[in-house]
Amino acid sequence: MTTDQDLSMDGQSARAVLAAKGIDVTPNKDQGVIKVVKRQGLDGDRPMIGDRVTVHYTGKLLTGKKFDCSRDRKEPFSFNVGKGQVLKAWDIGVLSMQRGEVCTFLCKPEYAYGAAGNPNKIPPCSPVVFEMELLKFEGEALTDDGGIVRRIKVKGDGYTNPNDGASVDVHLQGSCGGRLFDCRDVSFVVGEGEDKGIPLGVDRALDKMQKGECCVLYLKPKYGFGSEGKPEYNIGPDKDVVYEVTLKDFQRAKESWEMDLSEKLDLVGDVKNKGNQYFKAGRYYQAVIQYQRITSWLEMECGSGIEQQKRIQDYIVTAHLNLALCFLRIKEFSQVIDNCNKVIELDKSNEKALYRRGEARLLRNEFSLAMADFQQVLQVNSSNRAARAQISICQSKIKEHHEQDKKTYANMFQKFAERDAKSK
């Protein structure tokens, strides 16, 4: 255990004491980060690369002078470990800790503040000491809803990742409730993992992975096998699943800027058909991936003539309409409205776009806006019976809403009157 007395000696003595008591935790064993455990942590798991870790720390010079302390601010510090967001010493040191552990790290300048130091705090080329407590850690959320959480067991190489349309070779191990149900090597196209029985969450995580990476993915049902489950794997509905994924190799697909217009138009038909297949099978998230590829390719393109420009616009309109329909099915109504708006910018009288936007607004309880959309549909096509029925629904909803408001305000005024009577 280190003490402040250990740091009250001259720098050379303090360094010798810490080095004698500690262990070298640097990968290449150059004594760049020496660790001395002050309090053992809980037995079990340690952080993995990319985990969100929360720590308390105190930084000192070898003279014992404190230059930074999270406890003084009464607020712990959080970061994604192993991602270069903090000092190199922290990335290395925290990966060696267990939850609840308290330790001291003696850090060479090249693992801390380097030749420059830190103005007014740390002299150039200074070794520093950090006392650190690991409070908690959790996997890295890859989606806003926390449905895909990644923990990296082995860091990959390079700086590139697979993109939609890339060809990948992976090794998979899938488990549910601790039971292994899938173990195989498989090759597939990113965005089309469904064709090989690979859940959406694995497919969507690949664009964050590097060649050689091995990670564990924790998938909520939405990103696993959903409400249907996977009978062939004996997995029931709405089950969390875990996949260990190793990205053995990949070949990136061409990005939009790497293709000319003729290449894009040659590919669009097949991508559209793939999206339609997924839609018909009820795989709406997978369909979205395909339709979004079309819009990303073509939205900034201009044809060389009227005929080609019309072809491009037809593809864009169809893709946005299909996206709107997918988002209706998965109840992401803001996305429905956004995609319908893009169609209406190109074709203000598009019957399908107006109708689908009206559906989304009705489902968001925006009754007046929805009714206006359905009325526009009738202006385009007066025989659209579905739009007439929706207008009747909107009128009923608006009436219900007004009646509810009347009751609310009547009760409110009654309470005010009773309160005023009591106060007299």
Side-chain angles (χ1 to χ4, degrees):
M1 180 179 291
T2 59
T3 65
D4 286 341
Q5 284 76 20
D6 291 332
L7 299 180
S8 64
M9 304 174 285
D10 64 273
Q12 284 296 114
S13 300
R15 188 185 310 184
V17 168
L18 291 169
K21 292 182 177 180
I23 57 171
D24 184 357
V25 294
T26 54
N28 56 3
K29 302 303 177 187
D30 64 357
Q31 295 199 329
V33 183
I34 301 293
K35 174 183 175 181
V36 180
V37 177
K38 296 184 70 175
R39 186 182 76 200
Q40 294 289 343
L42 303 173
D43 288 337
D45 208 5
R46 287 184 170 85
M48 294 184 188
I49 296 166
D51 281 3
R52 190 73 177 170
V53 301
T54 301
V55 301
H56 265 310
Y57 69 92
T58 300
K60 296 180 181 180
L61 302 177
L62 290 185
T63 59
K65 181 181 178 182
K66 182 167 66 176
F67 59 81
D68 194 9
C69 182
S70 63
R71 294 187 188 279
D72 291 347
R73 296 191 294 274
K74 296 181 173 58
E75 184 177 358
F77 181 73
S78 297
F79 63 99
N80 291 98
V81 67
K83 292 287 190 175
Q85 297 176 355
V86 291
L87 297 176
K88 190 176 180 181
W90 283 31
D91 273 341
I92 292 170
V94 170
L95 286 171
S96 74
M97 298 177 71
Q98 295 176 322
R99 187 180 285 103
E101 182 178 321
V102 178
C103 62
T104 298
F105 294 113
L106 169 64
C107 314
K108 283 184 176 180
E110 55 265 39
Y111 287 85
Y113 296 95
N118 190 317
N120 303 320
K121 286 187 176 182
I122 300 158
C125 300
S126 293
V128 293
V129 173
F130 284 100
E131 181 179 287
M132 192 164 290
E133 178 181 7
L134 179 57
L135 302 174
K136 63 179 181 178
F137 58 90
E138 58 190 1
E140 176 187 15
L142 299 186
T143 55
D144 292 339
D145 60 8
I148 307 174
V149 173
R150 174 176 68 164
R151 304 193 68 208
I152 300 173
K153 294 180 71 173
V154 179
K155 193 175 186 299
D157 299 319
Y159 299 96
T160 59
N161 316 92
N163 56 350
D164 282 332
S167 300
V168 296
D169 300 320
V170 301
H171 178 73
L172 300 177
Q173 293 185 53
S175 60
C176 180
R179 177 181 63 85
L180 185 69
F181 62 80
D182 188 10
C183 183
R184 56 181 161 141
D185 292 315
V186 60
S187 301
F188 64 97
V189 174
V190 177
E192 301 176 17
E194 170 70 21
D195 296 350
K196 297 292 182 75
I198 294 166
L200 178 67
V202 173
D203 196 318
R204 292 299 80 200
L206 280 162
D207 68 359
K208 305 290 195 303
M209 296 180 67
Q210 297 167 327
K211 183 178 178 180
E213 179 179 320
C214 175
C215 67
V216 181
L217 300 173
Y218 300 85
L219 309 181
K220 293 295 183 186
K222 172 181 173 182
Y223 297 96
F225 298 114
S227 58
E228 299 173 7
K230 196 77 170 173
E232 55 264 50
Y233 291 148
N234 196 26
I235 295 175
D238 298 317
K239 295 291 186 182
D240 293 354
V241 293
V242 179
Y243 268 85
E244 184 174 301
V245 183
T246 303
L247 178 57
K248 299 194 297 181
D249 201 2
F250 70 92
Q251 183 68 46
R252 284 177 62 87
K254 282 187 177 181
E255 297 286 0
S256 180
W257 55 269
E258 296 176 302
M259 295 187 284
D260 60 29
L261 179 56
S262 62
E263 284 183 275
K264 295 175 183 178
L265 290 174
D266 286 342
L267 292 171
V268 162
D270 288 340
V271 174
K272 176 187 170 186
N273 289 337
K274 176 63 73 172
N276 292 347
Q277 289 173 20
Y278 285 140
F279 182 85
K280 290 173 183 175
R283 304 302 185 197
Y284 304 119
Y285 292 101
Q286 288 86 348
V288 163
I289 295 166
Q290 304 305 319
Y291 298 138
Q292 286 180 336
R293 291 181 72 191
I294 296 172
T295 59
S296 69
W297 286 346
L298 298 181
E299 278 186 319
M300 301 302 292
E301 290 286 356
C302 294
S304 57
I306 294 174
E307 186 177 330
Q308 191 177 62
Q309 183 56 38
K310 183 180 184 305
R311 187 182 174 198
I312 292 169
Q313 182 166 316
D314 287 346
Y315 274 131
I316 292 172
V317 166
T318 300
H320 280 303
L321 286 172
N322 290 343
L323 282 166
L325 197 53
C326 289
F327 287 124
L328 266 176
R329 295 289 191 272
I330 57 182
K331 297 179 170 52
E332 293 188 15
F333 303 126
S334 295
Q335 293 276 15
V336 178
I337 293 169
D338 288 345
N339 280 280
C340 289
N341 285 343
K342 287 176 181 177
V343 174
I344 293 166
E345 286 174 12
L346 297 171
D347 177 9
K348 64 181 180 180
S349 298
N350 189 285
E351 186 177 350
K352 289 182 179 178
L354 290 167
Y355 188 88
R356 289 172 191 171
R357 188 173 71 177
E359 286 185 289
R361 285 172 164 173
L362 178 56
L363 290 165
R364 293 207 322 181
N365 296 329
E366 297 171 344
F367 307 126
S368 296
L369 289 173
M371 187 162 68
D373 279 336
F374 294 128
Q375 287 170 337
Q376 280 188 267
V377 170
L378 290 180
Q379 290 175 14
V380 175
N381 178 8
S382 60
S383 62
N384 191 316
R385 294 181 179 179
R388 288 190 185 280
Q390 294 284 36
I391 288 172
S392 296
I393 292 171
C394 289
Q395 289 171 335
S396 297
K397 293 289 186 182
I398 290 169
K399 185 178 179 181
E400 286 176 20
H401 187 69
H402 286 164
E403 291 297 327
Q404 186 60 45
D405 282 348
K406 285 181 183 178
K407 289 179 183 177
T408 300
Y409 290 127
N411 291 336
M412 188 185 302
F413 293 138
Q414 180 65 29
K415 288 178 182 177
F416 287 154
E418 289 173 359
R419 187 185 64 185
D420 290 344
K422 287 179 182 179
S423 63
K424 289 181 180 178

